[in-house]
Every structure is written in C-alpha cells, then in structure tokens.
Amino acid sequence: MTASTAPARPAPAAPPALGGVGQSARDSLVVAKRNLLRMSRIPEVVIFGLIQPIMFVVLFSYVFGGSMNVGGSTDSEIYREFLMAGIFAQTVTFATAGAGAGIAEDMHKGLIDRFRSLPMARGAVLTGRTLADLVQTALTLVVLAVVAALVGWRIHEGVPKALAAFGLLLLLGYAFTWVGALIGLSVRTPEAATSGGLVWLFPVTFVSNAFVDSGNMTSWLRHIADWNPFSATVQACRELFGNPGVVQSDAWPMQHPVLASLMYSVVIIVIFRTLAVRKYRNSAG
C-alpha cells in the first residue's frame, strides 16, 4: 500500500517588474505614506504649523490693516482681501524649512542610510518626503482659507478660478520644498536646516508684493519685487481670486502672472530636484 502524496502547491507569482519610472513612483508613494503616518502620530507638529499662519492673518489684518495703503485706500477691509494671497503664498513657502529639517533629522538618525541599503529608487526618498509635505501643506491651506473667510476674505471670480489659484500655491510650495530638501542634505543637524531654510525665505517673501503694494517701493526695490517668483504667484492668486491690489507694472511676470508662476515653479523643481538627488547620490557613495 503506497502513501498518497499531496500535490505540490504552485509557487506564488512574483510581483510584476516595474520599469524605472514605475518603480520610482511606487517607492516614492511608499516613502510618502511612511512620512504621513509619522506626521499623524505627532499631531503637535501639524497644530504648531497651523498656529503661525493664523497669527499672521490676525496680526496683519487687525494690527496693521488700518495703516496700509492699497491702491490709494487705507480701508482695513480692502487690505484683508489684499493680504490673503500673500499669507497663502507665505504659508506654502515656509513649509520649506520643515522639509529641510525633516530630511536633516532623517540623515542625523541614520534613517537615510537604511533606505540606501534597500533596493529602491534613489530619488524616491526625497520625492516621498516632498509629497508628504505637500499633503500637509494642502491641509494647512484648507484651514487657513476658513480662517480667512471668518475675517472677511472672499473670492469674486468663481470656484474654478479659486481652485486654480490654490493649485498654483501648492505648486510653488512643492517647488520650494525641493530647495529645503537640498538644504537638509547639505547641513549636519536639523537645527541648521531650519535656520538655513528661514534665512533666504524672509527676503524672498517680504521683498515682494505679498504684504504691501510694490508700487510704493523705491524703483530698484520694486524691480526686484516684480521679478520675484513669489510675487508672480501672489499676483496670479489675486487675479484668480478677484481680490483688490493687483499690481500695475510693466514687468513681464506682473503682466502674465499665471504663466510666470507656472514657469517659475517648474524651473525651480527641475533645477533643485536635480541638485538634491545628485547630492543624495554623492553622499550615498
């Protein structure tokens, strides 16, 4: 009598191989998910990230609003609508410092070295981090828009144009996040990354049309402000929101702000993503 043998089970099918772009996209999403889960477990980081822009809205609206000249008017209600495009843009760009600090912290703790030992696309670590920061920035914008509506800000050109304006803001924020990624890879500590991220952000955001009418600046400073990528996005948002204070300038970015904002953001992404990934690969070697 012979013992019956069970038929052998077929080996599980291997996951389909992905090409370079497909693997990079998959790995980037995995890293992004990891960073989002970590953010959700540290809610105070998100809360403190919301407090700062809300404070800017309240302080600029009620403390400085009555003394700001917008288009020849010092009406505080007009200034509140003028202000919000600048506050939105400042919020998405200041996320750069957090992105740089997060990457520097991962480097400092050795987490990046663990990622390097895995069979994953090299650029996925940075792309995943920037995508996670983009999601957090989008949530911050939603809360900030609600606060802005409570203090009197309104959109006057319809929902589609308003969504387009928020899209430009997120694109600018994503572009500047790559600047933060490069800074985070270039310093030794998270504290240095935070400081380095804020040093260049203050002149970029304040030498612009975000908080004051650039027409009131001296001629050479106005020229810098009008060609500032940050100003182009602010100008585009004011046009798309239908808010007052659209700058009257002969500078090309101010005449075609939506196109200029898109071009600036894409160029910044291409340049600084290339530099950041190259820095990551060199440090990996």
Side-chain angles (χ1 to χ4, degrees), residues 4-133:
S4 59
T5 57
R9 294 182 179 179
L18 297 176
V21 176
Q23 180 183 358
S24 179
R26 181 191 64 185
D27 294 343
S28 298
L29 291 176
V30 170
V31 176
K33 181 180 179 181
R34 172 255 173 193
N35 282 285
L36 288 172
L37 288 174
R38 187 175 68 169
M39 290 175 186
S40 66
R41 293 166 184 164
I42 314 176
E44 55 268 27
V45 174
V46 180
I47 293 173
F48 290 145
L50 289 171
I51 291 175
Q52 178 179 319
I54 292 174
M55 288 177 60
F56 270 108
V57 172
V58 175
L59 289 175
F60 274 87
S61 297
Y62 293 102
V63 177
F64 303 112
S67 58
M68 292 293 187
N69 189 326
V70 178
S73 172
T74 57
D75 188 339
S76 60
E77 293 184 3
I78 292 178
Y79 182 70
R80 286 172 200 161
E81 291 209 340
F82 169 87
L83 172 70
M84 285 318 304
I87 293 290
F88 289 146
Q90 184 195 52
T91 300
V92 300
T93 53
F94 268 46
T96 300
I103 291 175
E105 182 181 11
D106 289 343
M107 293 277 290
H108 185 69
K109 291 182 177 180
L111 185 63
I112 298 295
D113 292 330
R114 298 176 200 164
F115 282 135
R116 288 171 183 159
S117 65
L118 299 175
M120 61 187 301
R122 289 290 176 88
V125 175
L126 302 179
T127 303
R129 174 74 204 199
T130 55
L131 288 175
D133 290 327

Side-chain angles (χ1 to χ4, degrees), residues 212-229:
V212 297
D213 186 350
S214 62
N216 298 327
M217 300 179 181
T218 58
S219 58
W220 65 271
L221 193 60
R222 178 179 181 178
H223 186 73
I224 295 174
D226 288 348
W227 285 88
N228 185 345

Side-chain angles (χ1 to χ4, degrees), residues 168-239:
L168 290 177
L169 289 166
L170 291 175
L171 184 62
L172 179 72
Y174 183 69
F176 277 18
T177 299
W178 281 106
V179 181
L182 180 61
I183 293 174
L185 291 169
S186 304
V187 298
R188 297 183 180 180
T189 64
E191 293 79 9
T194 302
S195 300
L198 292 175
V199 163
W200 66 275
L201 277 175
F202 277 105
V204 167
T205 54
F206 283 95
V207 184
S208 70
N209 59 2
F211 306 109
V212 297
D213 186 350
S214 62
N216 298 327
M217 300 179 181
T218 58
S219 58
W220 65 271
L221 193 60
R222 178 179 181 178
H223 186 73
I224 295 174
D226 288 348
W227 285 88
N228 185 345
F230 185 84
S231 293
T233 300
V234 173
Q235 173 92 337
C237 289
R238 287 193 180 122
E239 286 193 359

